[in-house]
Amino acid sequence: MQTIILFALFFLFLFINLPIALSLGCSALISIVFMSDLPLQLIAQRFFTTLDSFPIMAIPLFMLAGQLMNSSGITKRIVNFSDTLVGHIRGGLAQTNILASILFSGISGSAAADTSVMGAMLIPAMKKKGYDTDFSVVVTCTSSCIGPIIPPSILFIIYATITGLSVGQLFIAGIIPGLLVGIGLMIITYIISIKRDYPRDPKTSVGQKISAFINTIDALLMPLIIIGGVLSGVFTATESGAVAVVYAIIVGIVRKEINLTKLFDSIYDAAIMTGVTMIIIAAASLFSWLLTVNMFPQQVASLLLSISSSKAIITFLLILLFLIVGLFLDGTSAILILVPVLTPLTAQYGFDPIHIAMLMVVTLLIGGITPPVGILLFIATSIGGIKIKETLGMLIPYFITMVIVALIIAYVPILTTVLPSLFF
């Protein structure tokens, strides 16, 4: 009964447009006060226990590194380099948008940051070149989903904190799924661009490609340094965040694009983003703990077991569950609530924990582009100056494409486990 009321309160608060963190925290608080004899000190204890974690320290560090790289003009150089590689394909600027998101994901680790940065730069540019606004918005928000899949990834850091899995293994496992999402989006973009007769840029020469690559090499080195350092054992995934910050500052100083004003602005923006993320993590951890205390994981396991004992069917049901949850929760909140619930169940069915992590993150991110929550869609539409309902028709083929990629990842687990098994 307490679990039902907990969820009812949560959806009620969501319905009245209370922020996710407050919806989670207030529903948990009311449940503790009125439906249990638990002491209120427990709330502060759960908040502190959740955030008092070494891997969690990587979140503000990677957020700061991403802000500093933006201040260094890295984003513009990534876009220019991407344009020399794929701009000549039909729908060239849209293809550039997707490839730039793939490259930028190795810096930011955040889908929202990717949408904000790429959207501000490319949505106006695409509209100016004759691309429809709904198309420009949808391409930007869907390609931003790649950000938390390709390392470094804030969602993988949170996942590892909950489960005790290696952050390095999760990082390396995300490379192939992230590229699959990117390839799928490029294919559907090409098909739509032909139908709508979108333009393409003239093909660039080898010299122009090399010049753009050299101008962007400092940005492309950053993810290589992070992954290389983690795999070689030179530093941990958390320490790699500090390395990324130092590297971003050095790049900015060498290129003379970071001054004290930009440095303090980057720190301020990263602090705001970190604060929002940490509040969500703390509130979601309390909500998740209450579900665990009320034996909700065991109830879910019993329900799924009563439906089928087939691993293939359970896999499909998990995808369906992730898609539904993604409609109402952002990736961070969903992971904090679902992982403690589903980890025992997936272990019982013999799922590889790395495989489940990839499947969960990729599928939950689809929720970022779908109403009613759809934070990535909200950001992109606000930049494009268009209403969400005007993008729904264009959103459908991209939604289907991402679901197909999630199904491929689900039923071909070697795609997510091959790299961790090779390097660890």
Side-chain angles (χ1 to χ4, degrees):
M1 186 62 181
Q2 186 177 2
T3 301
I4 294 173
I5 294 176
L6 184 65
F7 276 113
L9 287 169
F10 169 68
F11 285 113
L12 173 63
F13 290 137
L14 273 186
F15 181 74
I16 62 175
N17 289 326
L18 212 60
I20 291 289
L22 289 178
S23 297
L24 290 166
C26 290
S27 56
L29 174 63
I30 293 172
S31 180
I32 290 173
V33 172
F34 294 104
M35 300 191 63
S36 74
D37 55 359
L38 296 170
L40 289 180
Q41 294 92 324
L42 174 74
I43 298 173
Q45 182 187 48
R46 292 305 309 169
F47 281 11
F48 180 80
T49 303
T50 301
L51 299 178
D52 184 27
S53 167
F54 183 63
I56 289 289
M57 288 175 60
I59 294 176
L61 291 171
F62 279 120
M63 285 185 171
L64 178 56
Q67 291 294 326
L68 289 169
M69 294 299 265
N70 289 340
S71 300
S72 302
I74 288 294
T75 307
K76 188 178 292 186
R77 294 198 292 275
I78 286 177
V79 170
N80 291 338
F81 176 56
S82 301
D83 192 48
T84 63
L85 296 179
V86 297
H88 62 282
I89 302 173
R90 177 67 68 181
L93 197 52
Q95 304 288 2
T96 297
N97 195 331
I98 297 168
L99 181 57
S101 290
I102 293 174
L103 298 177
F104 186 73
S105 65
I107 296 172
S108 70
S110 166
D114 193 344
T115 307
S116 301
V117 173
M118 292 299 170
M121 182 179 298
L122 289 173
I123 289 177
M126 290 177 70
K127 289 166 66 176
K128 190 175 180 180
K129 274 205 168 186
Y131 294 86
D132 295 312
T133 305
D134 61 341
F135 178 76
S136 306
V137 165
V138 169
V139 168
T140 300
C141 68
T142 52
S143 62
S144 298
C145 294
I146 304 170
I149 305 173
I150 293 178
S153 166
I154 292 171
L155 290 184
F156 287 153
I157 293 170
I158 295 170
Y159 198 105
T161 303
I162 301 169
T163 59
L165 291 173
S166 163
V167 178
Q169 284 185 302
L170 291 176
F171 274 10
I172 197 79
I175 294 175
I176 294 177
L179 293 177
L180 282 176
V181 173
I183 292 168
L185 294 179
M186 283 185 160
I187 292 172
I188 191 64
T189 296
Y190 179 76
I191 294 170
I192 293 173
S193 296
I194 290 178
K195 280 189 171 185
R196 293 196 173 191
D197 195 29
Y198 287 139
R200 56 184 173 188
D201 296 331
K203 195 167 185 178
T204 55
S205 65
V206 175
Q208 289 173 310
K209 288 181 173 65
I210 293 174
S211 176
F213 171 75
I214 292 173
N215 196 37
T216 318
I217 196 167
D218 50 8
L220 302 178
L221 281 175
M222 184 174 175
L224 294 179
I225 292 171
I226 292 170
I227 298 300
V230 172
L231 293 180
S232 63
V234 175
F235 42 74
T236 65
T238 302
E239 291 165 347
S240 69
V243 172
V245 170
V246 173
Y247 180 77
I249 292 174
I250 291 173
V251 169
I253 292 173
V254 170
R255 285 188 173 268
K256 298 180 180 179
E257 291 179 330
I258 283 186
N259 51 33
L260 283 177
T261 301
K262 286 186 176 181
L263 178 61
F264 286 124
D265 286 344
S266 297
I267 293 172
Y268 176 81
D269 291 340
I272 295 295
M273 292 171 63
T274 300
V276 171
T277 302
M278 293 301 184
I279 291 171
I280 293 174
I281 290 173
S285 69
L286 179 63
F287 190 95
S288 176
W289 183 83
L290 284 175
L291 291 179
T292 304
V293 168
N294 287 288
M295 307 293 286
F296 186 65
Q298 289 81 351
Q299 295 168 17
V300 172
S302 299
L303 175 62
L304 291 178
L305 286 169
S306 67
I307 295 173
S308 174
S309 59
S310 167
K311 188 174 180 179
I313 294 176
I314 293 299
T315 300
F316 181 79
L317 291 174
L318 288 175
I319 292 174
L320 195 59
L321 174 64
F322 298 153
L323 287 173
I324 293 171
V325 170
L327 292 174
F328 302 100
L329 291 176
D330 66 284
T332 300
S333 305
I335 285 174
L336 285 160
I337 292 170
L338 289 177
V339 171
V341 172
L342 295 178
T343 297
L345 172 68
T346 53
Q348 185 176 344
Y349 274 94
F351 286 96
D352 185 288
I354 298 291
H355 177 220
I356 285 296
M358 295 302 115
L359 178 60
M360 184 182 293
V361 169
V362 170
T363 312
L364 285 174
L365 284 169
I366 299 175
I369 63 169
T370 52
V373 176
I375 183 64
L376 306 181
L377 185 61
F378 274 101
I379 295 172
T381 51
S382 65
I383 295 171
I386 188 175
K387 295 179 180 178
I388 286 179
K389 64 181 181 181
E390 297 177 60
T391 67
L392 297 182
M394 180 56 63
L395 194 61
I396 291 173
Y398 283 88
F399 174 82
I400 293 172
T401 300
M402 294 189 70
V403 170
I404 290 172
V405 172
L407 288 169
I408 293 171
I409 292 169
Y411 290 104
V412 190
I414 194 172
L415 294 173
T416 60
T417 58
V418 62
L419 290 182
S421 64
L422 284 175
F423 288 96
F424 290 88

